[in-house]
Amino acid sequence: MISSDVLSKFIRYYFVAYRLEHDIDWVKSDSSLYGYELAVQAGKDKAEILEKGFKGDSVVVDKEKGEIIVKQAINPISMIPSASSILAKLKKIATDIPGATFQVQFLIAPKDKEFSEGYDRDQKWQWLISSLLLSELFLLGEVSEKGELEYTGLFHSCHQADHNRDLVEDCRVMMEQWEKGFTEVADSYGITDEINSLLQNMDAPKAYAPCDETHEYLTDDEDESEKILSLCKAWGVEESRAVSINDRKVISKLNVFEMADVLFSIRHSKLYQLFGSER
């Protein structure tokens, strides 16, 4: 089982990690594209509830089976999806469909010469599926008898790394490690009192923009500060985030989320190797 809090943090980090470890880029907002589909199976007698619950979305409904597939738009990698937004409509009707199962399938691939901006949504989805450089995240869940969403499975595949890798345990440990770094950065930035509020509003625009003023973060050692500078150069944000170092100190306009992402990447990404980066 995966808690909703861990799931929310992990989906955000997963897309950040793709940009850092796979694209090796924080600058090109559309270097890769992603799409996702939510499928819900509730039974024939619940088909009408599903149809009304997802009214306004692009859907495919099988009334005989009581199944629905919700097709979301294909977006550039910079438009990081929100777990709460993805599952918002399902949560609203969950008390009416106890016992239902659901799956969310995310597909990500870098743009190539086979892709056309003129494609419609289904053509873009087919392009994603057929990409030789495909990464996939697959979430499984069910609706409890109390009408609560329970997340029971999480699997990841990448052409550079493992296929159908079970992340249920890893994602919990990863987010504990990420949050530890986040807390360190928040303390160094002098915003310890805001930690809980920030973590509860991770979808806010300020989570994905540089700070207006510089902040200092004291790293574990000079080697770590040099790695941060080196990686910010590789990712193309050394200038836009005004990154510099002074011994163990990193001075930058990296916001608290960005610095936490950088720290996790330096300290832990080689252990988990989600996207098989050789850096």
Side-chain angles (χ1 to χ4, degrees):
M1 295 283 285
I2 308 166
S3 72
S4 59
D5 181 58
V6 167
L7 179 66
S8 178
K9 290 186 180 72
F10 181 77
I11 287 179
R12 188 206 72 89
Y13 180 74
Y14 184 87
F15 280 80
V16 169
Y18 180 92
R19 298 189 74 183
L20 302 186
E21 298 175 31
H22 191 288
D23 279 1
I24 321 293
D25 195 339
W26 253 1
V27 179
K28 296 177 182 176
S29 62
D30 64 347
S31 55
S32 294
L33 300 172
Y34 76 88
Y36 67 88
E37 293 186 347
L38 166 64
V40 186
Q41 302 83 31
K44 184 177 180 179
D45 60 328
K46 305 293 185 181
E48 189 173 337
I49 295 173
L50 293 177
E51 197 168 17
K52 287 182 178 179
F54 291 97
K55 186 176 181 180
D57 287 338
S58 176
V59 301
V60 175
V61 182
D62 186 328
K63 293 185 177 181
E64 288 301 311
K65 293 182 178 179
E67 298 179 351
I68 192 169
I69 297 175
V70 185
K71 301 181 176 184
Q72 297 297 342
I74 308 302
N75 290 308
I77 193 65
S78 57
M79 292 179 61
I80 297 177
S82 157
S84 59
S85 297
I86 292 168
L87 299 165
K89 289 187 176 181
L90 178 58
K91 286 183 178 179
K92 286 183 178 180
I93 62 171
T95 54
D96 297 322
I97 54 171
T101 59
F102 61 91
Q103 306 87 38
V104 183
Q105 181 185 25
F106 297 91
L107 301 179
I108 315 174
K111 278 187 176 181
D112 59 24
K113 63 181 181 181
E114 301 299 323
F115 176 79
S116 170
E117 295 289 355
Y119 283 167
D120 61 25
R121 193 273 176 194
D122 285 342
Q123 288 173 320
K124 289 178 181 179
W125 183 259
Q126 289 302 315
W127 168 79
L128 280 169
I129 290 175
S130 63
S131 175
L132 297 177
L133 304 179
L134 180 67
S135 294
E136 178 182 20
L137 186 66
F138 197 64
L139 172 69
L140 300 174
E142 57 188 40
V143 181
S144 73
E145 291 304 314
K146 294 181 180 180
E148 298 174 345
L149 302 190
E150 297 180 341
Y151 310 110
T152 57
L154 189 65
F155 298 90
H156 157 74
S157 295
C158 175
H159 69 98
Q160 290 188 150
D162 296 332
H163 288 270
N164 299 318
R165 174 176 164 189
D166 187 341
L167 291 178
V168 170
E169 288 302 318
D170 278 352
C171 75
R172 177 185 59 79
V173 177
M174 289 171 71
M175 291 305 94
E176 286 176 355
Q177 293 168 331
W178 180 90
E179 194 163 332
K180 181 177 182 292
F182 180 89
T183 302
E184 289 178 13
V185 177
D187 184 56
S188 186
Y189 279 21
I191 53 176
T192 305
D193 293 341
E194 300 175 43
I195 288 177
N196 289 334
S197 175
L198 289 167
L199 290 175
Q200 290 170 10
N201 294 280
M202 295 178 70
D203 301 329
K206 64 182 178 181
Y208 308 104
C211 296
D212 294 330
E213 56 188 32
T214 57
H215 287 280
E216 296 181 352
Y217 174 71
L218 192 62
T219 61
D220 289 342
D221 51 45
E222 288 185 32
D223 182 57
E224 187 169 74
S225 64
E226 289 172 358
K227 285 180 179 178
I228 290 174
L229 178 61
S230 176
L231 289 178
C232 285
K233 288 180 179 179
W235 294 328
V237 295
E238 178 195 8
E239 292 187 9
S240 65
R241 300 302 192 262
V243 183
S244 63
I245 59 175
N246 183 0
D247 296 326
R248 291 172 54 201
K249 190 180 297 181
V250 176
I251 304 97
S252 76
K253 291 186 177 182
L254 289 165
N255 69 49
V256 63
F257 294 95
E258 291 175 331
M259 183 61 84
D261 293 334
V262 171
L263 285 179
F264 185 93
S265 184
I266 289 171
R267 295 172 177 176
H268 307 292
S269 64
K270 287 185 178 180
L271 173 62
Y272 296 104
Q273 284 285 295
L274 287 177
F275 299 104
S277 171
E278 293 298 327
R279 63 166 176 76

